[in-house]
Amino acid sequence: MCKPTYYRVEYSINPWMNPSENPVDRTLAMYQWNSLRLAIETAGAIIDVMEPHGGEHLPDMVFAANAAIIRGKKAYLANFQCVERKNERHFYKKWLQAHGYETFGSMDYAFEGEGDARWVGRNQSKLVCGVGARTDARIISDLKDKMKTDSQDFKAIALKLVDPRFYHLETCFCPLAEDLALWYPDAFDSVAQHNLKQEMEMVPISEADATKFACDAVVVGKNVILNKGADDTGKTLQRLGFIPNFVDLSEFIKGGGSSKNLALTLTM
Ligand code: ARG
């Protein structure tokens, strides 16, 4: 996770951001970020904290999951589509290298890290990718090439995102286990909807909960840490044998992100 020291809504690169009418309360944002960190740690995960760089010039750096996708000790870096976030790459690259990750990446096509790419299947045998909004499908062949290992290849599944409110895969798709996920189906085109259902058991959530970022959730074992207010999804999670843990992330919703997007998944 990256500290929200400089986080604010200063520009608008997604429909949730409205700098003049919905500014961020930074003190509250810091409090909420710390609450999220505590909730993830309490669920049993270890958090590494990165100091933000670029100061006031990179206010979105707090959304760490956009930095890269990780597989073992390999990190495939983002090539941010939005010019406002492009310089984050350099700082994340340095951090990942300093922490023992071999970094890859392409500057040819846009790619926004774990925001648009989630591992599913046994031993990360599949990579689900959201394309068409922030990530260009043409990045996938290089990503596959660099992230496969001699012993293990994986299948990449590109899914077209069609609703501007759900501009990252993480906003509308939440893997709960190897073959089980929450999703907001209407965020995907019909081909993507069909293809995803072939891969795993998909549990839909309502539009009301999707717009509370219920899919943008951190999953640690059976614990699911999500923005407060998505009560129906909480019930669905309980029915599936999971434990919902709600954290108020109102200040980050103003930036168009929530729980999962604030934490990049690393492997030890
Ligand atoms: N303001 C950031 C952006 O638009 C927020 C990113 C949040 N991403 C997410 N997957 N929820 O890039």
Side-chain angles (χ1 to χ4, degrees):
M1 294 177 74
C2 176
K3 272 193 199 153
T5 318
Y6 304 106
Y7 171 59
R8 68 191 186 289
V9 172
E10 192 199 59
Y11 43 74
S12 182
I13 53 173
N14 66 57
W16 303 92
M17 299 173 89
N18 188 338
S20 54
E21 276 168 35
N22 215 4
V24 167
D25 176 336
R26 244 189 213 171
T27 310
L28 183 56
M30 187 60 88
Y31 173 82
Q32 292 179 345
W33 183 89
N34 276 310
S35 307
L36 175 66
R37 176 185 175 176
L38 189 64
I40 298 173
E41 286 176 332
T42 305
I46 296 166
I47 302 286
D48 263 326
V49 174
M50 176 176 143
E51 288 298 325
H53 293 274
E56 304 284 347
H57 299 296
L58 295 176
D60 267 337
M61 196 146 187
V62 68
F63 295 109
N66 292 135
I69 177 82
I70 309 289
R71 182 178 177 85
K73 281 290 173 187
K74 288 180 170 192
Y76 195 92
L77 298 164
N79 174 26
F80 285 93
Q81 189 200 73
C82 309
V83 70
E84 291 84 350
R85 299 194 65 184
K86 279 199 183 292
N87 290 337
E88 293 179 26
R89 175 188 167 111
H90 166 74
F91 298 110
Y92 277 114
K93 181 177 180 179
K94 269 174 67 174
W95 191 96
L96 287 162
Q97 287 179 346
H99 287 76
Y101 292 85
E102 189 184 359
T103 56
F104 302 90
S106 159
M107 300 304 270
D108 293 342
Y109 303 111
F111 172 62
E112 296 205 353
E114 212 185 2
D116 270 329
R118 301 299 309 275
W119 295 111
V120 299
R122 199 167 166 71
N123 296 326
Q124 301 186 324
S125 57
K126 301 170 193 177
L127 185 66
V128 176
C129 301
V131 301
R134 294 287 189 87
T135 289
D136 188 320
R138 288 172 291 181
I139 196 86
I140 290 176
S141 69
D142 188 57
L143 198 165
K144 266 196 94 195
D145 194 44
K146 301 290 176 2
M147 297 298 270
K148 70 177 187 223
T149 57
D150 290 344
S151 57
Q152 209 194 2
D153 200 353
F154 60 90
K155 172 178 177 184
I157 303 147
L159 305 170
K160 183 137 200 280
L161 300 176
V162 292
D163 183 330
R165 296 173 299 171
F166 305 102
Y167 58 93
H168 276 148
L169 179 71
E170 271 180 351
T171 64
C172 48
F173 173 76
C174 177
L176 296 169
E178 286 171 358
D179 54 3
L180 174 69
L182 295 179
W183 70 327
Y184 176 59
D186 288 349
F188 299 86
D189 77 359
S190 55
V191 177
Q193 290 182 22
H194 172 82
N195 290 346
L196 201 43
K197 283 190 281 191
Q198 306 302 305
E199 300 294 342
M200 53 205 301
E201 185 186 340
M202 300 300 302
V203 180
I205 66 163
S206 66
E207 180 178 15
D209 279 10
T211 55
K212 292 182 188 115
F213 282 75
C215 283
D216 199 328
V218 170
V219 181
V220 184
K222 290 284 176 191
N223 299 286
V224 182
I225 301 135
L226 67 166
N227 180 41
K228 77 157 200 207
D231 297 331
D232 288 341
T233 301
K235 288 186 197 117
T236 302
L237 286 167
Q238 278 171 334
R239 183 172 51 76
L240 294 168
F242 290 83
I243 307 153
N245 181 351
F246 294 103
V247 177
D248 187 355
L249 295 167
S250 63
E251 298 316 290
F252 299 99
I253 305 301
K254 292 174 181 175
S258 188
S259 169
K260 177 65 200 79
N261 202 244
L262 292 165
L264 172 67
T265 313
L266 300 175
T267 34
M268 299 231 290

